[in-house]
Amino acid sequence: MMKVFPHSEPVQEVSCCLLNKLTLGNFYNILVLNDVHGVIVQAVEKYPANAKLQAAGLSCLALLTETIFLNRDLEEKKEEEEKEEEEQLYWLEACYKALRCHRKNVDVQEAACWALNNLLMYQQCLHEKIGDEEKKFPAHREMMLAMLVHSNSKEVFQAAANALATLSEQDVGIRKILLAKGIHMNVLEIMKKYSISPEVAGSACKLLNHTFEGSCPPLDIMTVAVSRVVNIMRRHKKLSSIQLEALRIILHFMNPREMKEQLNSSSGDADLALTLKVIKNQCLLEGAHTLVLDALNRFIGNPGIQKCGFQILSSVVECSGALEMLLQQGMTDTVLHSLQMYPDDQEIQCLGLSLLGSLITRKNLCIATIHVLATVLVSTLRRFKDNVEIQMHGFRTIITVLDLSPCFAKLLIQESFDTAIFYQMSMCFSEQRDQQFQSLCCKCFAKIADNDDLKNLMLEKACAEYNAIMSECLLLLGADVNKKKKTNALIYQVCEKGSNPELVELLLNSGAREQDVRSALTASIKKGDSQIISLLLKKLSLDVANSSICLGGFCIGRVEPSWLSPLFPDKRASFRKQTRAGSVLARLVLRYQRKSSYEDQSKSSSIVNNEEDALEKYDDWAFLPDPLVDNVFHLNDDVDSEGSESSFITKKKSSSVAVADLHKDTASQTCSSIPQRHSVGPGSQYEPLRDQQRKIMYSSDKGISKFRSSLKRSDSCSSLVPDKEYIKSLDLSSNELENIDSICHCSFLMTHLEHLEKLELHQNALSRIPEQLCEVSGHDYADSDILPP
């Protein structure tokens, strides 16, 4: 009928009223599919002076907006049609004319504001058509005027406030105009007038939130706004939408970055500090912190409230006395609950961990809280292992708790914290972490590594993860390679479950027991891992001092060239030993442990009374430089405030132990890679660093002699290399060998076998001796025992 009688105003008016009633009955899809919105737009544009038609028509458009644009999104359109739609004004001009022509009509003002608000929500580019410039529609001025003229109408205020909030959210220019016109003062007054109305409170908070965004209003305005907002939060505790908008308003006044940009550069820092202090104290005095905690607990399922609440509390907790009040009100439990509720939300985890660092600075944590804290911290650190900010907050919190409760370290290890810190320490070495983070990692690891039992547990975990870097570091820090809680030894587990020659070599060089090495050899032979078998055989059988290899009685069943070849010296191999990553980490961790030891001694000792005494005490220590530590970890004075920054600490014994001698010993230590023949156990190449830790803790002169003697042993080993080019004796007896032809096909082995003086093959099951071996020995032997010619 509207299409049949387009020029009949009464028909158009009645039709718009009827259609409005249908929209109130939720017949949106039917109306949109019949293009009702099209004829309504034509009607409101053709009869702008008809108030009843305008109110009914614009109300109908406001309700149909969502359905209109959702249906259009489902239609396939060409690029040209999409551009044409972007340039359309839809009913923007009609809304503006209705606001201007019917300023005294409450129904028209309300309908026009809602129609404009919904249109802006679904056609966001239209905000560019609104403004004070030429060829733009100053609709924002008309909506501000509607709020003032109809200040007694809650409905008009709600509609206008929502439309202005949507517009200011999209357009910074509009936001500045609203502030310049003092719209926020009018809103604050209306909030006070209708404080019990949830509709007015929600619309007002939404408008203030977007209006204050990115601005720094005068301090007096901020104090009034905070007071009004806190009152609104107190009156409408059960409405999450009002709580969220209110929290966002308060947060704008506590964001130093946004506020600093608005302040004068010459006095910005001073003004900013004063403003923040006043706002924080006001929030505290008016009980905002209690309301925030209540909102966090009540609306645990609202991530927006959790994020805003955490940020506000992080600022308020800096006020004097705030921490004690928050702790008494259970803030720690609230934060932990939120962290458990949103394990995958990166922002909440970061804010929560940062807040925890402030909350646990007092010794009031119960056992149950510490358990939950360990679980939450480790879970977050493992989940966000590549987020440096979260890692830093987490490690700071862990260090703080460790200072308050040493038993916390055991709880962390039970939650597999060692996996998380292994990863971060390894990343630090690969130069993918900054200096501050490196410092936190090493401090945390140093505190946990103070406990011998935890060190052994971490070593077991590092081996299970085949982490050679951390395994070496732990071994150097004194972890016991032979300590086991399971049935099998550590080296047996490594050889049985995987194939990691580097890790096996570390365990062998750290003093693994001979019986455990033999068990590991049996397991490796079953797997057929030639490289690991050769490492185990080398440890068990090679005697460099006597130029002999003794494999007698191993019952290995067969022998492969790939097993024997590494046992013989290779003149082509380099004798220079590279500095390893684990060694660098161990040195750094020892440095932190030493610094912590100094701090503990200075607190408990009454001998050191002045700076001169302290300097005299520190002068008793000499430092071994390690350039690789400085190249990888860029240390500052916080890491090592005395002596050389890249040094490995040793205790001086008068003038007999000179630093130059230690430098010389260190140089000689790195030039040999030929293992010595010695019993499996203490005396390995990693013993010096373990002794080093003991010297730090006990200042033992005996430790120094061990350190120097071990270095000299290494030097003497390197001097043997030129004289021991060939093996003189090879014992393969009692191995149940049935065939040894394979070793004759390896040219490298045959080269060394030519220089043998003794080859023992008795108590095997050999049916014959290879002719090549007989020729090498100069005789053709028929029996299974070959004696020296």
mmCIF file of all heavy atoms in Angstrom, residues 124-152:
data_model
loop_
_atom_site.group_PDB
_atom_site.id
_atom_site.type_symbol
_atom_site.label_atom_id
_atom_site.label_comp_id
_atom_site.label_asym_id
_atom_site.label_seq_id
_atom_site.Cartn_x
_atom_site.Cartn_y
_atom_site.Cartn_z
ATOM 1 N N GLN A 124 30.279 1.523 9.765
ATOM 2 C CA GLN A 124 31.197 2.354 10.548
ATOM 3 C C GLN A 124 31.839 3.480 9.751
ATOM 4 O O GLN A 124 32.326 4.445 10.326
ATOM 5 C CB GLN A 124 32.283 1.451 11.164
ATOM 6 C CG GLN A 124 31.720 0.425 12.120
ATOM 7 C CD GLN A 124 32.800 -0.417 12.768
ATOM 8 O OE1 GLN A 124 33.984 -0.197 12.544
ATOM 9 N NE2 GLN A 124 32.392 -1.400 13.567
ATOM 10 N N CYS A 125 31.857 3.371 8.434
ATOM 11 C CA CYS A 125 32.462 4.436 7.637
ATOM 12 C C CYS A 125 31.601 5.703 7.609
ATOM 13 O O CYS A 125 32.064 6.773 7.183
ATOM 14 C CB CYS A 125 32.722 3.955 6.219
ATOM 15 S SG CYS A 125 31.227 3.432 5.343
ATOM 16 N N LEU A 126 30.359 5.614 8.079
ATOM 17 C CA LEU A 126 29.467 6.771 8.034
ATOM 18 C C LEU A 126 29.892 7.883 9.001
ATOM 19 O O LEU A 126 29.457 9.021 8.851
ATOM 20 C CB LEU A 126 28.039 6.343 8.351
ATOM 21 C CG LEU A 126 27.240 5.728 7.191
ATOM 22 C CD1 LEU A 126 25.846 5.342 7.660
ATOM 23 C CD2 LEU A 126 27.144 6.698 6.030
ATOM 24 N N HIS A 127 30.719 7.551 9.973
ATOM 25 C CA HIS A 127 31.143 8.598 10.917
ATOM 26 C C HIS A 127 31.926 9.698 10.208
ATOM 27 O O HIS A 127 32.013 10.833 10.695
ATOM 28 C CB HIS A 127 31.991 7.995 12.041
ATOM 29 C CG HIS A 127 33.363 7.588 11.613
ATOM 30 N ND1 HIS A 127 34.428 8.461 11.558
ATOM 31 C CD2 HIS A 127 33.846 6.384 11.206
ATOM 32 C CE1 HIS A 127 35.504 7.823 11.153
ATOM 33 N NE2 HIS A 127 35.182 6.558 10.925
ATOM 34 N N GLU A 128 32.491 9.344 9.032
ATOM 35 C CA GLU A 128 33.222 10.353 8.272
ATOM 36 C C GLU A 128 32.283 11.423 7.700
ATOM 37 O O GLU A 128 32.737 12.511 7.332
ATOM 38 C CB GLU A 128 33.980 9.671 7.135
ATOM 39 C CG GLU A 128 35.009 8.647 7.615
ATOM 40 C CD GLU A 128 35.636 7.888 6.464
ATOM 41 O OE1 GLU A 128 35.222 8.146 5.307
ATOM 42 O OE2 GLU A 128 36.514 7.046 6.713
ATOM 43 N N LYS A 129 31.000 11.123 7.633
ATOM 44 C CA LYS A 129 30.020 12.083 7.113
ATOM 45 C C LYS A 129 29.481 13.006 8.200
ATOM 46 O O LYS A 129 28.703 13.917 7.904
ATOM 47 C CB LYS A 129 28.841 11.334 6.471
ATOM 48 C CG LYS A 129 29.240 10.317 5.391
ATOM 49 C CD LYS A 129 29.860 10.994 4.184
ATOM 50 C CE LYS A 129 30.207 9.961 3.106
ATOM 51 N NZ LYS A 129 30.828 10.595 1.918
ATOM 52 N N ILE A 130 29.877 12.792 9.437
ATOM 53 C CA ILE A 130 29.387 13.590 10.564
ATOM 54 C C ILE A 130 30.500 14.501 11.055
ATOM 55 O O ILE A 130 31.637 14.060 11.266
ATOM 56 C CB ILE A 130 28.893 12.679 11.702
ATOM 57 C CG1 ILE A 130 27.747 11.797 11.203
ATOM 58 C CG2 ILE A 130 28.446 13.500 12.898
ATOM 59 C CD1 ILE A 130 27.267 10.798 12.229
ATOM 60 N N GLY A 131 30.223 15.754 11.243
ATOM 61 C CA GLY A 131 31.211 16.703 11.725
ATOM 62 C C GLY A 131 30.764 18.131 11.522
ATOM 63 O O GLY A 131 29.677 18.406 11.007
ATOM 64 N N ASP A 132 31.629 19.058 11.926
ATOM 65 C CA ASP A 132 31.313 20.478 11.784
ATOM 66 C C ASP A 132 31.774 21.052 10.456
ATOM 67 O O ASP A 132 31.490 22.218 10.151
ATOM 68 C CB ASP A 132 31.966 21.273 12.925
ATOM 69 C CG ASP A 132 31.371 20.912 14.277
ATOM 70 O OD1 ASP A 132 30.176 20.581 14.302
ATOM 71 O OD2 ASP A 132 32.107 20.950 15.286
ATOM 72 N N GLU A 133 32.515 20.268 9.664
ATOM 73 C CA GLU A 133 33.032 20.757 8.401
ATOM 74 C C GLU A 133 31.917 20.880 7.368
ATOM 75 O O GLU A 133 30.811 20.356 7.531
ATOM 76 C CB GLU A 133 34.137 19.820 7.865
ATOM 77 C CG GLU A 133 35.378 19.746 8.732
ATOM 78 C CD GLU A 133 35.225 18.738 9.858
ATOM 79 O OE1 GLU A 133 34.110 18.177 9.995
ATOM 80 O OE2 GLU A 133 36.194 18.535 10.614
ATOM 81 N N GLU A 134 32.247 21.563 6.277
ATOM 82 C CA GLU A 134 31.289 21.755 5.195
ATOM 83 C C GLU A 134 30.960 20.418 4.533
ATOM 84 O O GLU A 134 31.810 19.539 4.424
ATOM 85 C CB GLU A 134 31.865 22.728 4.172
ATOM 86 C CG GLU A 134 30.870 23.175 3.108
ATOM 87 C CD GLU A 134 31.461 24.180 2.155
ATOM 88 O OE1 GLU A 134 32.630 24.597 2.378
ATOM 89 O OE2 GLU A 134 30.784 24.545 1.183
ATOM 90 N N LYS A 135 29.730 20.282 4.100
ATOM 91 C CA LYS A 135 29.211 19.077 3.454
ATOM 92 C C LYS A 135 29.154 17.883 4.401
ATOM 93 O O LYS A 135 29.114 16.739 3.979
ATOM 94 C CB LYS A 135 30.037 18.712 2.222
ATOM 95 C CG LYS A 135 29.959 19.747 1.103
ATOM 96 C CD LYS A 135 30.747 19.288 -0.105
ATOM 97 C CE LYS A 135 30.664 20.316 -1.228
ATOM 98 N NZ LYS A 135 31.414 19.891 -2.438
ATOM 99 N N LYS A 136 29.173 18.161 5.712
ATOM 100 C CA LYS A 136 28.997 17.107 6.706
ATOM 101 C C LYS A 136 27.780 17.423 7.576
ATOM 102 O O LYS A 136 27.364 18.579 7.689
ATOM 103 C CB LYS A 136 30.246 16.960 7.590
ATOM 104 C CG LYS A 136 31.439 16.343 6.872
ATOM 105 C CD LYS A 136 32.568 16.052 7.837
ATOM 106 C CE LYS A 136 33.739 15.366 7.138
ATOM 107 N NZ LYS A 136 34.821 15.009 8.071
ATOM 108 N N PHE A 137 27.244 16.409 8.206
ATOM 109 C CA PHE A 137 26.047 16.576 9.011
ATOM 110 C C PHE A 137 26.450 16.712 10.486
ATOM 111 O O PHE A 137 27.023 15.775 11.055
ATOM 112 C CB PHE A 137 25.104 15.385 8.850
ATOM 113 C CG PHE A 137 24.662 15.151 7.438
ATOM 114 C CD1 PHE A 137 25.287 14.206 6.633
ATOM 115 C CD2 PHE A 137 23.618 15.899 6.894
ATOM 116 C CE1 PHE A 137 24.883 13.999 5.333
ATOM 117 C CE2 PHE A 137 23.198 15.695 5.588
ATOM 118 C CZ PHE A 137 23.835 14.749 4.793
ATOM 119 N N PRO A 138 26.174 17.844 11.129
ATOM 120 C CA PRO A 138 26.522 18.030 12.560
ATOM 121 C C PRO A 138 25.519 17.322 13.479
ATOM 122 O O PRO A 138 24.925 17.947 14.378
ATOM 123 C CB PRO A 138 26.480 19.542 12.729
ATOM 124 C CG PRO A 138 25.504 20.004 11.713
ATOM 125 C CD PRO A 138 25.620 19.072 10.542
ATOM 126 N N ALA A 139 25.331 16.057 13.242
ATOM 127 C CA ALA A 139 24.350 15.302 14.032
ATOM 128 C C ALA A 139 24.752 15.224 15.497
ATOM 129 O O ALA A 139 23.880 15.133 16.388
ATOM 130 C CB ALA A 139 24.204 13.897 13.453
ATOM 131 N N HIS A 140 26.060 15.255 15.783
ATOM 132 C CA HIS A 140 26.520 15.162 17.172
ATOM 133 C C HIS A 140 26.031 16.351 17.997
ATOM 134 O O HIS A 140 25.720 16.213 19.180
ATOM 135 C CB HIS A 140 28.043 15.078 17.205
ATOM 136 C CG HIS A 140 28.735 16.233 16.553
ATOM 137 N ND1 HIS A 140 28.716 16.437 15.193
ATOM 138 C CD2 HIS A 140 29.450 17.264 17.077
ATOM 139 C CE1 HIS A 140 29.407 17.534 14.905
ATOM 140 N NE2 HIS A 140 29.852 18.051 16.025
ATOM 141 N N ARG A 141 25.947 17.519 17.373
ATOM 142 C CA ARG A 141 25.475 18.701 18.090
ATOM 143 C C ARG A 141 23.984 18.561 18.429
ATOM 144 O O ARG A 141 23.539 18.967 19.510
ATOM 145 C CB ARG A 141 25.718 19.943 17.248
ATOM 146 C CG ARG A 141 27.197 20.281 17.074
ATOM 147 C CD ARG A 141 27.392 21.582 16.321
ATOM 148 N NE ARG A 141 28.806 21.905 16.192
ATOM 149 C CZ ARG A 141 29.512 22.566 17.129
ATOM 150 N NH1 ARG A 141 28.917 22.948 18.245
ATOM 151 N NH2 ARG A 141 30.776 22.821 16.935
ATOM 152 N N GLU A 142 23.247 18.013 17.487
ATOM 153 C CA GLU A 142 21.816 17.826 17.731
ATOM 154 C C GLU A 142 21.578 16.822 18.857
ATOM 155 O O GLU A 142 20.656 16.984 19.676
ATOM 156 C CB GLU A 142 21.128 17.356 16.446
ATOM 157 C CG GLU A 142 21.133 18.357 15.318
ATOM 158 C CD GLU A 142 20.395 19.639 15.666
ATOM 159 O OE1 GLU A 142 19.450 19.576 16.496
ATOM 160 O OE2 GLU A 142 20.748 20.701 15.129
ATOM 161 N N MET A 143 22.416 15.786 18.927
ATOM 162 C CA MET A 143 22.236 14.792 19.996
ATOM 163 C C MET A 143 22.644 15.370 21.350
ATOM 164 O O MET A 143 22.001 15.085 22.373
ATOM 165 C CB MET A 143 23.059 13.534 19.672
ATOM 166 C CG MET A 143 22.460 12.716 18.530
ATOM 167 S SD MET A 143 23.284 11.143 18.239
ATOM 168 C CE MET A 143 24.826 11.674 17.464
ATOM 169 N N MET A 144 23.691 16.215 21.369
ATOM 170 C CA MET A 144 24.051 16.875 22.627
ATOM 171 C C MET A 144 22.935 17.797 23.087
ATOM 172 O O MET A 144 22.609 17.878 24.284
ATOM 173 C CB MET A 144 25.350 17.664 22.457
ATOM 174 C CG MET A 144 26.599 16.801 22.405
ATOM 175 S SD MET A 144 28.120 17.770 22.531
ATOM 176 C CE MET A 144 28.112 18.601 20.957
ATOM 177 N N LEU A 145 22.363 18.494 22.133
ATOM 178 C CA LEU A 145 21.254 19.388 22.454
ATOM 179 C C LEU A 145 20.056 18.614 22.981
ATOM 180 O O LEU A 145 19.364 19.062 23.921
ATOM 181 C CB LEU A 145 20.863 20.190 21.203
ATOM 182 C CG LEU A 145 19.755 21.234 21.375
ATOM 183 C CD1 LEU A 145 20.176 22.286 22.402
ATOM 184 C CD2 LEU A 145 19.444 21.885 20.033
ATOM 185 N N ALA A 146 19.794 17.456 22.404
ATOM 186 C CA ALA A 146 18.674 16.634 22.868
ATOM 187 C C ALA A 146 18.877 16.216 24.319
ATOM 188 O O ALA A 146 17.917 16.188 25.125
ATOM 189 C CB ALA A 146 18.535 15.403 21.982
ATOM 190 N N MET A 147 20.131 15.888 24.713
ATOM 191 C CA MET A 147 20.411 15.515 26.098
ATOM 192 C C MET A 147 20.132 16.669 27.052
ATOM 193 O O MET A 147 19.605 16.462 28.153
ATOM 194 C CB MET A 147 21.878 15.064 26.233
ATOM 195 C CG MET A 147 22.190 13.759 25.539
ATOM 196 S SD MET A 147 23.944 13.362 25.597
ATOM 197 C CE MET A 147 24.229 13.291 27.356
ATOM 198 N N LEU A 148 20.436 17.895 26.616
ATOM 199 C CA LEU A 148 20.231 19.053 27.483
ATOM 200 C C LEU A 148 18.760 19.457 27.548
ATOM 201 O O LEU A 148 18.231 19.733 28.622
ATOM 202 C CB LEU A 148 21.076 20.227 26.984
ATOM 203 C CG LEU A 148 22.597 20.037 27.052
ATOM 204 C CD1 LEU A 148 23.305 21.225 26.417
ATOM 205 C CD2 LEU A 148 23.047 19.857 28.492
ATOM 206 N N VAL A 149 18.121 19.508 26.384
ATOM 207 C CA VAL A 149 16.727 19.942 26.331
ATOM 208 C C VAL A 149 15.821 18.961 27.051
ATOM 209 O O VAL A 149 14.881 19.353 27.758
ATOM 210 C CB VAL A 149 16.274 20.128 24.866
ATOM 211 C CG1 VAL A 149 14.771 20.416 24.794
ATOM 212 C CG2 VAL A 149 17.060 21.252 24.211
ATOM 213 N N HIS A 150 16.127 17.680 26.911
ATOM 214 C CA HIS A 150 15.268 16.633 27.506
ATOM 215 C C HIS A 150 16.017 15.925 28.649
ATOM 216 O O HIS A 150 16.046 14.695 28.723
ATOM 217 C CB HIS A 150 14.849 15.629 26.437
ATOM 218 C CG HIS A 150 14.146 16.258 25.274
ATOM 219 N ND1 HIS A 150 12.842 16.686 25.328
ATOM 220 C CD2 HIS A 150 14.580 16.551 24.014
ATOM 221 C CE1 HIS A 150 12.491 17.214 24.171
ATOM 222 N NE2 HIS A 150 13.530 17.128 23.346
ATOM 223 N N SER A 151 16.615 16.725 29.502
ATOM 224 C CA SER A 151 17.372 16.151 30.622
ATOM 225 C C SER A 151 16.486 15.385 31.601
ATOM 226 O O SER A 151 16.980 14.583 32.395
ATOM 227 C CB SER A 151 18.124 17.258 31.370
ATOM 228 O OG SER A 151 17.199 18.226 31.855
ATOM 229 N N ASN A 152 15.175 15.662 31.549
ATOM 230 C CA ASN A 152 14.246 14.936 32.423
ATOM 231 C C ASN A 152 13.791 13.609 31.820
ATOM 232 O O ASN A 152 13.054 12.861 32.478
ATOM 233 C CB ASN A 152 13.021 15.800 32.723
ATOM 234 C CG ASN A 152 13.381 17.016 33.563
ATOM 235 O OD1 ASN A 152 14.258 16.938 34.426
ATOM 236 N ND2 ASN A 152 12.704 18.134 33.324
#
